[in-house]
Each structure stands twice: as C-alpha cells, then as structure tokens.
Amino acid sequence: MANKRILIVGGVAGGASCAARIRRLCEHCEIIIYEMGSYVSFANCGLPYFIGDVIVEEDKLLVATPELFKNRFNIQVCTDSEVTRIDRAGKTIVVTDLSSGKTRLEAYDALVLATGAAAVWPNIEGVDLPGVYALRTIPDSRKIRTALDNIQHAVVMGGGYLGLELAENLKKRGLDVTLLQSSDQLMPMLDKEMAGYIEKHLQQHEISCRLNCQVSSIQQNRDQSLTLHITGGDALTVDAVMISVGVKPRAHLAIDAELEIGEHGGIRVNEHMQTSDPAIWAVGDVVEVRHVITGEWHLFPLAGPANRQGRLAAAHIVGQEHAGAATGMTYRGVQGTSVCGLFGLTVATTGVNEKRLKASGFDHYEKVYLHPGNHVGYYPGAKPIHMKLLYDSHDGRILGAQALGESGVARRIDVLSAFIQMQATVYDLEEAELCYAPQFGATKDPVNLAGMIAANQLRGNHPLACWEELLESHVQVVDEGEQDNASQMLSLILDDPFSQAQIVDVRTAAEFQRKHVPNAINVPLDDLRERLGELSREREVWVICGVGQRAYNATRILQQNGFQVKNLSGGMQTYNAFQE
Ligand code: FAD
C-alpha cells in the first residue's frame, strides 16, 4: 500500500530508528511520531556523562531534532504529545497534547509501540521526597546537574551498569558516593566471582560499596538532608539519593488494548516484532524477546537491540514491494551483549551467564577462566583481561563470555558475541584469525586462547577443575549455616585430609610463599619431572599456578605420566576472585 499511514508512539531509540528506516524504504508512506517528552532521538546513554561534565553541552545529546526529521525524512514529529489509548477495532489512537490538554483521534494503518521502559521506584517510604532522583531523560539530568551544587554526599541505590556509571560520574564531580546494592554482587549480568573485580575497583576509587543492603525507608531531616534507614538497624545520612534499581516495560497502552503481554510484563512479539494484533508492532525496552541461548523470554533494555528491532519492524510494516530482500529479515533474539566503563575498567559480557544456565536447568556446560594480557607482555603497558567463557560440553557451542580489564575488553567480547550469533564453537575460536601487532594483541589472541583451553578440555587432553567443584564435592562436611561463606568452606575443605584431590602448586617457591591455597604442596613446574615420585597416584592431582598456563604444562606432563590430573581453571587469580 503506497500511502500507508504509520503512527509511531515513542520517538527515541526504537521509535526514531523505525521511522527513519520506513522512510528509506517507502517514500510515499505517511509517518508520524508521537513523543510525550519534549525531545526525540536523544542520547539517553550519554546522560550519566552529562551529569559528570564529560559531555558539557546539552545540545550534543540531541541526535536528531523534529526539524531534521521533517526536512530530511519528511517525518512529522509531535513532541509533548502522549498517546493515551488504542482503539484496535477502529484502528485509531487517542493523542493528548500535553501543553494544551486537548485530545484528538488519529487513524492508522500500522502502529508501532516504542514506549520504552520506566524506572522502577522501590516501594519504600520517602522515595518521593525532594532530593531523590532517577535518571531517564534530559530534564532529569538537568535537575540532577542543578542540584549538584548543594550535594556533598550522594547514595546510588542499585549496582547495575547505570548505577555504576552514575556513581563514577558523581565521584568525578567531587561528591562522596556510597553505592548500595540489595543483592550479594554488583552487575547482576555477571557471575558473582567476576563481579568481585568491580567491587575492588570501586574501593580503589574511594566509592564505598555496600552489598546485601536493603533500604527500608528514607526520611528528610530539618537541614534537608536525607537519612536512609537500612534493614537491620543501620542508617546513612546523605544529601541526595539516586534510584537505579532497574526498569520495567512501559506497556500500559498495550495492556489496556489487550495485546498479549508476557510473564515479565513486556509486550510479546513474533520474529517480525509484530504483536498479537497484526496491525501493531512493538520494539525496544517495552518488548519481551527470546534469549538466543536459552530460548527463554526476557527483557533486555539495551539501545542496540532497540535500534535493530526498529529497523526490522520497518521492513515488515512497509512490506515486500518496498523492502525487497529486507523482508527476509527475522529477529534472532537477544544475547545481552553489553559493556560498562568504570574509572578505566571495562566490564563487558555477551550470551548467557552461569547463574542463568543453572536457573534454566541447562546442565551440559563447561567453563574456563583465563587472564591473558590485552597485548604481548614485551610491549610496554600490557594489562590483564580477566575472562570467563561458558560453552556446551556436548558440542563445544559457545554460550557466553564475561570479561573485565583496562584495555581491549570490548573488542574481545564483540568478537565472541559475533561467534555466538553464528552459533560457533570453541573449535572455531581456536581458528579465529584476529588482528595482531605487538601493541594490539598476541599471536594467540585472548579469544584464541579461550577457545584453545576449552577445546583442549573437550578433547580430553586438558582436564579442568574449578573452585566450586572443590566446594561441592565437600559440601557435606560443612554445617548448613556456613554454606554461604565460600572462603570459609574452601579452607575447611582443603584442610580435610580426605579431600578428593591432592593440590599441587607449580609456581616458584617465592610465589608459593607469598600466598597459597591451604594444604597445597609446592612443586615448581621446572622441577616437576624429577619430583613425580612425591605425588599420589591414589587421588586426583589438581594443579594450580598463577593464571593457569604453567599448570596446563604441568597437566600435560602429569597426564602423560599416568596421573589423574586436572588444572584448577584460572589459577590463583581465580582463587582470589572466589575468595573476595
Ligand atoms: P526509549 O529510548 O526510552 O524511548 C521511549 C520513548 O517513548 C520515551 O521518550 C517516552 O517519553 C516515549 N513514550 C512512552 N510512552 C509514551 C506515550 N504513551 N506517548 C508518547 N510517547 C511515549 N543502553 C545501552 O545499550 N548502553 C548504554 O550505555 C545505555 N545507557 C543508558 C543510560 C541511561 C541514563 C538510560 C536511561 C538508558 C541507557 N541505556 C543504555 C538503555 C537504552 O537507552 C534503552 O535500551 C533504549 O533507549 C530503549 O529504546 P526504546 O526506544 O525502547 O525506549
């Protein structure tokens, strides 16, 4: 249909990209965007950096204006216009002009819901007090920036990526910052032992971080300061509170119109981003999408997926005759590829984490930990990358990866993300041909190394043990009440002479002396061949070194000398991560 009337509700990431793509595919469609805020197509991802004065001019946050949409794309943008109802039978929407209060009916041939997500406000007394903020929009960021002049100490409630970015930017503005997280780790998209690096990094940058901390109420004092009462009796007095405990899909229009809604409260869509009504599409934070690995429905409030979904919906709305080959596009699901910067540390992840694998009942997976340099050690400035790779123990398919470090992290996770999308295996990672020069990488890039370790493990010539394996095999010796304390359990286990494995540390004597696992014996790698007689052939030998590489060589020597041997994945570096 040449003159389709296409209405789009929400004019930022998903809505704006959908509108522009429709125009590129269909010059004669009528396209109108309704946005209840005063801005379209603004860079919400830049807002924390606007607060931190990294982005100084507000204009830089405006990716496109209504004028640009009109002049370049012939798209009409109605700002300060809230869509308040959908009449599916009549194919109309009710639009309220927020400046005049007037309402009008608008008819559509196709409707796109790109209404995004709203901040979750914890259900506690005092969240509506002055001095309590959430950051979603340009006006929010303006309000926070203005208030900063009178704030010395702020609390950030919530340790996801947005909470961390806010904490960093407030600190950069000279504030004392305390980060409160209700669960036992920051960045819930990571596994706990990987998130520990972030906690350490925050401490180094003088941000106080309190885990397992539930705020029960906020109270305003006479001097306008705010006291947060914490479950258990503790209290904290600050000048401002930033709420960043998550988002929920803004799906009320769809709910009222009785479109299918999923178990997480997002709009259910098919692989063309079409809702249960064939004339209505939905994209972005408001939809539920399938996880590429588990196939489960999830909410993934991320800018990249919102933009790609908008583009894909456009092709299907416009139809075969205009979109051509683009109509072959189907949505592949989301793999949660995300990245966060924190005082020079990059934290990135893709695919599924171990917690989610366990929760989904996916039991045929393996994992490796590794700590390679971002580039060769002989070139100045090499920095470690702490990586965890999860893969299918049946066929080697890559399931997920997490990485942290000061340099080269996002590049490795992006490579792994592309491999995951192509349903590649760890054997493919071994063969990946990646850029190399001394300042950029190594002849065996961290991505290759992850694949090599995993592939060797699957081939049986590099058996791996992991720290939880030690913990789990001895769980019966620990009182129930102590099971939470991993380091306490670990030392109990390792003191146990009946432990299933003999722990052999193959680092040098000096390294061993500095710190070692209780009950480990020290046989430096270079002495190992001469000292094989000292090792038990009755029990498995579990080998440790600094990061796993020397232990790999030791594993090969021992295996070929008839020992039952495993390498404790990631060595002392990973042991420390589990302990901390
Ligand atoms: P949005 O971009 O939120 O747009 C939805 C729009 O719909 C809103 O402007 C809203 O006003 C409008 N709307 C809602 N209901 C109505 C209605 N009834 N009528 C009219 N208009 C309506 N993601 C990343 O991947 N990386 C990042 O670094 C990152 N940083 C972020 C930092 C911040 C501070 C925030 C807030 C988000 C960040 N995100 C980041 C998330 C990312 O911005 C979102 O995933 C993305 O914007 C979602 O796009 P969307 O189109 O679904 O929703």
Side-chain angles (χ1 to χ4, degrees), residues 9-10 12-14 35-36 44-45 83 114-116 136 161 284-285 301-303:
V9 191
V12 189
E35 168 53 58
M36 68 183 189
N44 21 23
C45 308
V83 174
T115 47
R136 297 293 304 165
Y161 73 83
D285 290 359
L302 291 168

Side-chain angles (χ1 to χ4, degrees), residues 133-441:
Y133 305 92
L135 178 64
R136 297 293 304 165
T137 61
I138 291 181
D140 292 340
S141 63
R142 232 181 255 150
K143 222 161 45 175
I144 296 172
R145 269 172 75 100
T146 309
L148 284 186
D149 293 339
N150 302 314
I151 298 175
Q152 260 132 42
H153 186 181
V155 147
V156 177
M157 276 175 71
Y161 73 83
L162 181 52
L164 292 173
E165 287 176 355
L166 261 173
E168 177 188 22
N169 280 288
L170 292 173
K171 187 74 193 175
K172 283 185 174 162
R173 292 292 303 267
L175 273 62
D176 285 335
V177 181
T178 304
L179 185 68
L180 306 182
Q181 168 74 348
S182 58
S183 69
D184 63 352
Q185 69 163 91
L186 298 174
M187 284 283 255
M189 57 276 267
L190 299 186
D191 288 316
K192 187 170 182 307
E193 73 281 11
M194 300 301 284
Y197 292 105
I198 306 173
E199 285 140 35
K200 225 162 95 187
H201 196 70
L202 282 179
Q203 276 162 19
Q204 284 163 7
H205 289 272
E206 294 173 349
I207 289 186
S208 142
C209 170
R210 294 169 66 169
L211 302 177
N212 298 307
C213 186
Q214 313 273 350
V215 176
S216 52
S217 65
I218 306 172
Q219 169 205 319
Q220 190 171 41
N221 305 311
R222 280 212 184 131
D223 63 355
Q224 306 299 310
S225 64
L226 299 167
T227 297
L228 290 92
H229 296 280
I230 291 161
T231 309
D234 207 359
L236 188 66
T237 296
V238 295
D239 305 308
V241 178
M242 309 287 158
I243 304 279
S244 179
V245 297
V247 294
K248 55 173 187 273
R250 210 172 345 212
H252 57 271
L253 274 178
I255 294 169
D256 293 348
E258 296 182 352
L259 295 176
E260 188 186 348
I261 302 293
E263 66 207 80
H264 303 289
I267 303 174
R268 278 281 163 89
V269 286
N270 65 15
E271 72 277 18
H272 299 154
M273 308 311 297
Q274 200 168 25
T275 68
S276 51
D277 180 327
I280 304 178
W281 280 256
V283 299
D285 290 359
V286 75
V287 300
E288 287 188 8
V289 282
R290 293 252 187 217
H291 195 292
V292 290
I293 301 294
T294 64
E296 292 169 344
W297 290 102
H298 279 285
L299 298 169
F300 274 108
L302 291 168
N307 275 275
R308 293 198 310 281
Q309 290 163 8
R311 184 171 181 273
L312 193 143
H316 288 278
I317 291 167
V318 169
Q320 189 93 40
E321 69 273 30
H322 292 282
T327 47
M329 292 161 73
T330 54
Y331 196 62
R332 300 176 183 190
V334 175
Q335 53 194 75
T337 308
S338 53
V339 64
C340 172
L342 188 64
F343 299 107
L345 180 77
T346 308
V347 183
T349 179
T350 184
V352 76
N353 61 30
E354 193 175 357
K355 282 179 295 192
R356 184 161 281 165
L357 281 175
K358 283 184 176 157
S360 321
F362 190 108
D363 57 3
H364 51 97
Y365 71 88
E366 293 284 350
K367 60 181 170 182
V368 296
Y369 296 93
L370 64 160
H371 310 276
N374 64 322
H375 59 60
V376 286
Y378 66 80
Y379 188 85
K383 303 281 183 198
I385 299 179
H386 306 293
M387 287 177 80
K388 177 175 181 177
L389 181 79
L390 293 146
Y391 52 99
D392 190 315
S393 55
H394 291 168
D395 58 10
R397 189 165 66 105
I398 309 152
L399 302 173
Q402 300 159 46
L404 302 96
E406 290 177 39
S407 181
V409 170
R411 176 182 143 205
R412 273 53 185 232
I413 288 297
D414 277 343
V415 169
L416 289 163
S417 165
F419 271 92
I420 289 175
Q421 189 168 129
M422 305 314 288
Q423 303 191 336
T425 66
V426 296
Y427 308 111
D428 297 313
L429 296 185
E430 282 184 297
E431 289 301 320
E433 188 172 311
L434 302 172
C435 295
Y436 166 65
Q439 68 271 47
F440 297 110

Side-chain angles (χ1 to χ4, degrees), residues 13 27 68 97 99 153 241 277 281 286 295 301 310 442 500 555 560 580:
E27 183 58 21
L68 184 136
D97 180 330
S99 35
H153 186 181
V241 178
D277 180 327
W281 280 256
V286 75
Q500 73 177 58
T555 303
Q560 292 178 76
E580 279 157 9

